[in-house]
């Protein structure tokens, strides 16, 4: 029995609040249990120096000082980006770019900011999922304003975690489970069930290919459910 009474293959309660902020071209507040992330997508009609044609999508990620049980210092106070934050924002950026036909966004960049208001496990995957909703809303606005000729979104994208705790595989770990996990796995997928990114770590012990397959199967089930919820908000955008 899990602490919150969920089944082993059950997601935490999920809530998306689209258009949460006033000024961003696309925004979404995503709540996965007690994990809360604010995702804002900002449109810029310019490209970074390394992009010569098409468009670009990137992401930034941070945790607010009291997102956790103890206050953490802001990155600006340390004069450098936290290594964990840098890793996660690269993951988010790669995941969101996989959803989009960048050639359909000529001369346009979108930055997706993911700020963790409250962290209770699964912040990076919640950021991918909420970030996708914010991105899709921003892309819809580009189409409506005539800044793109066709909807650049080509896939729905969602992310979820799974892990092995006390030798039991379970989906969507909250912090009390994640902190005890022997194996931790994050999986980003599209609506076709294709894997975009897989991050698996044997923290307490090594894990077998069969255990990896079991965890990926759990994530596939969870991501399918999250994509259903995205479709409820966004409609059929493909």
């Amino acid at each position: 029995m899990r602490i919150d009474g969920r089944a082993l293959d059950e997601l935490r309660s999920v809530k998306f609040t689209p258009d949460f902020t006033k000024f961003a071209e696309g925004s979404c507040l995503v709540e996965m249990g007690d994990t809360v992330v604010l995702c804002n997508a900002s449109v810029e009609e310019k490209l970074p120096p390394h992009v010569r044609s098409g468009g670009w999508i990137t992401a930034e990620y941070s945790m607010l000082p009291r997102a956790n049980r103890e206050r953490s210092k802001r990155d600006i106070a340390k004069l450098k980006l936290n290594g964990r934050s840098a890793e996660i924002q690269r993951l988010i950026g790669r995941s969101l770019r996989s959803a989009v036909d960048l050639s359909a966004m000529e001369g346009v960049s979108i930055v997706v900011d993911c700020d963790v208001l409250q962290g209770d496990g699964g912040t990076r995957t919640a950021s991918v999922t909420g970030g996708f909703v914010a991105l899709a809303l921003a892309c819809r606005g580009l189409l409506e304003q005539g800044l793109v000729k066709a909807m650049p979104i080509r896939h729905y994208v969602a992310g979820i975690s799974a892990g092995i705790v006390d030798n039991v595989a379970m989906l969507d770990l909250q912090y009390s489970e994640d902190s005890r996990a022997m194996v931790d796995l994050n999986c980003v997928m599209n609506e076709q069930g294709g894997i975009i990114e897989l991050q698996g770590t044997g923290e307490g012990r090594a894990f077998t290919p069969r255990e990896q397959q079991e965890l990926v199967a759990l994530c596939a089930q969870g991501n399918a459910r999250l994509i259903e919820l995205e479709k409820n908000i966004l409609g059929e955008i493909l």
Side-chain angles (χ1 to χ4, degrees):
M1 178 67 69
R2 302 176 75 169
I3 291 174
D4 55 7
R6 283 183 291 145
L8 298 176
D9 62 352
E10 186 178 353
L11 292 173
R12 289 176 286 181
S13 61
V14 183
K15 181 181 179 182
F16 295 118
T17 307
D19 301 317
F20 187 79
T21 60
K22 180 177 181 179
F23 299 112
E25 283 78 13
S27 67
C28 178
L29 184 76
V30 56
E31 300 171 68
M32 303 275 302
D34 287 335
T35 288
V36 183
V37 185
L38 175 59
C39 304
N40 284 304
S42 300
V43 172
E44 299 178 349
E45 293 185 60
K46 61 180 181 179
L47 297 177
H50 71 280
V51 179
R52 301 296 178 86
S53 63
W56 189 246
I57 294 168
T58 190
E60 295 190 10
Y61 168 97
S62 67
M63 297 190 75
L64 297 187
R66 278 318 303 264
N68 282 322
R69 286 148 185 80
E70 296 181 358
R71 186 184 186 276
S72 59
K73 290 185 177 181
R74 298 180 190 271
D75 286 335
I76 189 64
K78 297 175 286 187
L79 300 181
K80 64 177 181 179
L81 183 64
N82 177 281
R84 177 178 178 274
S85 297
E87 175 211 347
I88 291 174
Q89 67 186 36
R90 286 194 293 266
L91 163 69
I92 299 167
R94 289 192 300 268
S95 299
L96 297 182
R97 284 192 294 274
S98 76
V100 175
D101 178 6
L102 294 175
S103 67
M105 294 174 52
E106 186 64 44
V108 175
S109 296
I110 299 178
V111 181
V112 181
D113 290 292
C114 301
D115 292 294
V116 180
L117 308 185
Q118 187 167 275
D120 190 41
T123 61
R124 73 183 66 196
T125 50
S127 296
V128 168
T129 307
F132 171 76
V133 174
L135 172 65
L137 292 171
C139 287
R140 178 179 288 166
L142 289 176
L143 184 61
E144 292 172 350
Q145 295 167 34
L147 294 177
V148 296
K149 296 180 180 179
M151 183 60 159
I153 299 290
R154 292 293 176 263
H155 293 285
Y156 292 87
V157 169
I160 198 65
S161 69
I164 297 176
V165 182
D166 298 331
N167 291 312
V168 177
M170 54 185 67
L171 179 67
D172 192 15
L173 305 185
Q174 63 187 56
Y175 177 78
S176 61
E177 296 166 334
D178 187 54
S179 62
R180 298 185 294 113
M182 300 171 173
V183 178
D184 185 37
L185 186 140
N186 298 297
C187 183
V188 180
M189 307 179 87
N190 62 28
E191 82 287 352
Q192 298 172 339
I195 295 173
I196 296 164
E197 184 129 1
L198 195 62
Q199 298 180 335
T201 305
E203 298 182 352
R205 63 167 174 82
F207 57 103
T208 67
R210 179 175 294 181
E211 288 174 324
Q212 182 188 37
Q213 290 175 355
E214 182 179 6
L215 293 173
V216 171
L218 283 172
C219 289
Q221 178 179 323
N223 280 326
R225 175 57 180 151
L226 290 172
I227 289 172
E228 284 181 11
L229 296 174
E230 291 176 348
K231 289 181 177 179
N232 290 340
I233 294 170
L234 299 170
E236 294 294 336
I237 58 175
L238 303 185

